[in-house]
Amino acid sequence: MTGKLVPHGRTFGWGGMTPEQIATASKPAVLALGEAYTRCPTTLRRARLLGISGWAFYVSSRAGALGDVRAETVTAALGFIAPDAVADGWDAAARVVRPCEVAAASLAECCRWGEETLGDLPRVDQLAALVERAVAAADASAMPLFAAWRAMPVDASTSGARVAAGLRVLREHFTGAHLVAVRASGMTPLEAVLAGPEGASGAMACGWPPPYPPVGPLVRRRLWAEALTDRLVAPAFTALGPVDGAELVELLTVARNHAQR
């Protein structure tokens, strides 16, 4: 990231950032914070109270915003998870509880986690407002999960809860854009996972069984897909402008460090 350090409010931020640079700089924090609540022990207990496994909760909570659809539709929307693994989780959950109820329970846990973990952040009100502006400005074309999550009713009475809920939705925007970019690069979702930082272990975690294709030829395509992802997400940050966009990056960095304590 390049830019000139300029005063902004009570702290300092990077000035002159383009929307694409804001997308690139904010992506690690959005991806990390947007799913951090799923690893909270209280969230995992919610899955047990619903009578489903952790894996069924994960699949159904992410795709449950789509409603009562078939596993094949969920596979297409999630993209990077193997079809058999999706079907295992989705069908197991659907036998016990409606998908929309799992999604609503997941969102409630997200808001709880945000209130408990992010509520005492400095300038949390401003962070919530910036995240919500980016979510509202994002283009949902070809991103059904993002569109479905953005339409979910949110009961967030505190700024910390608003931040967590907004980042949960914004994370689906990044992952949806990445799925589009991966397909545009000519890679399959499995190839993209293999070419990523976790390699074969990541593929196994997503339910893809070996043997796997060679990774070497895929690395350049993966890098191209990452850059295209940022270009696809950039319009969400155009509405912020360079000053507010830089502040968003700054506040997200603070939030991520705070959540990791």
Side-chain angles (χ1 to χ4, degrees), residues 182-206:
V182 163
R183 300 304 290 126
S185 74
M187 285 192 295
T188 66
L190 170 58
E191 289 173 335
V193 173
L194 288 171
E198 296 181 359
S201 62
M204 293 182 66
C206 289

Side-chain angles (χ1 to χ4, degrees), residues 83-97:
D84 288 346
V86 170
D88 287 346
W90 183 256
D91 293 340
R95 287 192 290 268
V96 178
V97 60

Side-chain angles (χ1 to χ4, degrees), residues 2 13 23 25-27 33 36 44 50 61 64 81 100 111 113 128 135 139 168 175 199 208 211 225 234 252 257:
T2 60
S26 64
K27 180 165 58 178
L33 291 169
L44 298 176
L50 290 172
S61 65
I81 302 177
C100 61
C111 291
W113 177 88
V135 169
D139 184 356
R168 171 69 186 80
T175 55
W208 299 98
L252 284 174
N257 291 336

Side-chain angles (χ1 to χ4, degrees), residues 2 11 18-19 25 28-29 42 59 75 89 106 110 133 149 157 161 174-175 185 230 233:
T2 60
T11 60
T18 67
T42 304
V59 173
T75 298
S106 176
C110 176
R133 283 170 58 192
W149 270 97
S157 58
F174 271 100
T175 55
S185 74
D230 296 340
V233 173

Side-chain angles (χ1 to χ4, degrees), residues 1-256:
M1 182 177 68
T2 60
K4 182 180 179 181
L5 196 62
V6 295
H8 183 76
R10 290 175 294 174
T11 60
F12 290 84
W14 288 95
M17 296 180 74
T18 67
E20 190 172 330
Q21 288 172 325
I22 296 168
T24 302
S26 64
K27 180 165 58 178
V30 171
L31 295 180
L33 291 169
E35 70 164 5
Y37 79 96
T38 64
R39 295 186 293 275
C40 174
T42 304
T43 302
L44 298 176
R45 282 198 295 272
R46 186 67 169 264
R48 292 195 293 272
L49 290 174
L50 290 172
I52 59 179
S53 69
W55 177 248
F57 182 79
Y58 172 78
V59 173
S60 196
S61 65
R62 275 196 67 195
L66 295 172
D68 297 318
V69 299
R70 295 182 181 276
E72 291 83 359
T73 302
V74 177
T75 298
L78 294 177
F80 297 105
I81 302 177
D84 288 346
V86 170
D88 287 346
W90 183 256
D91 293 340
R95 287 192 290 268
V96 178
V97 60
R98 293 187 64 194
C100 61
E101 294 179 25
V102 182
S106 176
L107 183 55
E109 290 301 322
C110 176
C111 291
R112 174 201 54 78
W113 177 88
E115 183 174 348
E116 295 175 355
T117 307
L118 306 177
D120 60 346
L121 279 173
R123 293 150 59 198
V124 65
D125 293 345
Q126 176 67 353
L127 176 57
L130 292 172
V131 170
E132 289 168 349
R133 283 170 58 192
V135 169
D139 184 356
S141 302
M143 302 180 196
L145 269 184
F146 167 69
W149 270 97
R150 185 165 62 177
M152 286 272 291
V154 181
D155 183 17
S157 58
T158 66
S159 294
R162 288 168 54 204
V163 170
L167 291 175
R168 171 69 186 80
V169 179
L170 197 56
R171 188 181 194 280
E172 290 295 355
H173 189 49
F174 271 100
T175 55
H178 190 55
L179 181 58
V180 172
V182 163
R183 300 304 290 126
S185 74
M187 285 192 295
T188 66
L190 170 58
E191 289 173 335
V193 173
L194 288 171
E198 296 181 359
S201 62
M204 293 182 66
C206 289
W208 299 98
Y212 302 124
V215 175
L218 304 175
V219 174
R220 182 171 296 181
R221 289 189 181 187
R222 167 78 186 210
L223 294 174
W224 184 88
E226 289 285 358
L228 180 57
T229 299
D230 296 340
R231 287 196 293 274
L232 291 172
V233 173
F237 302 105
T238 301
L240 301 184
V243 175
D244 286 348
E247 184 178 20
L248 174 65
V249 173
E250 173 194 343
L251 294 178
L252 284 174
T253 301
V254 172
R256 187 181 184 187

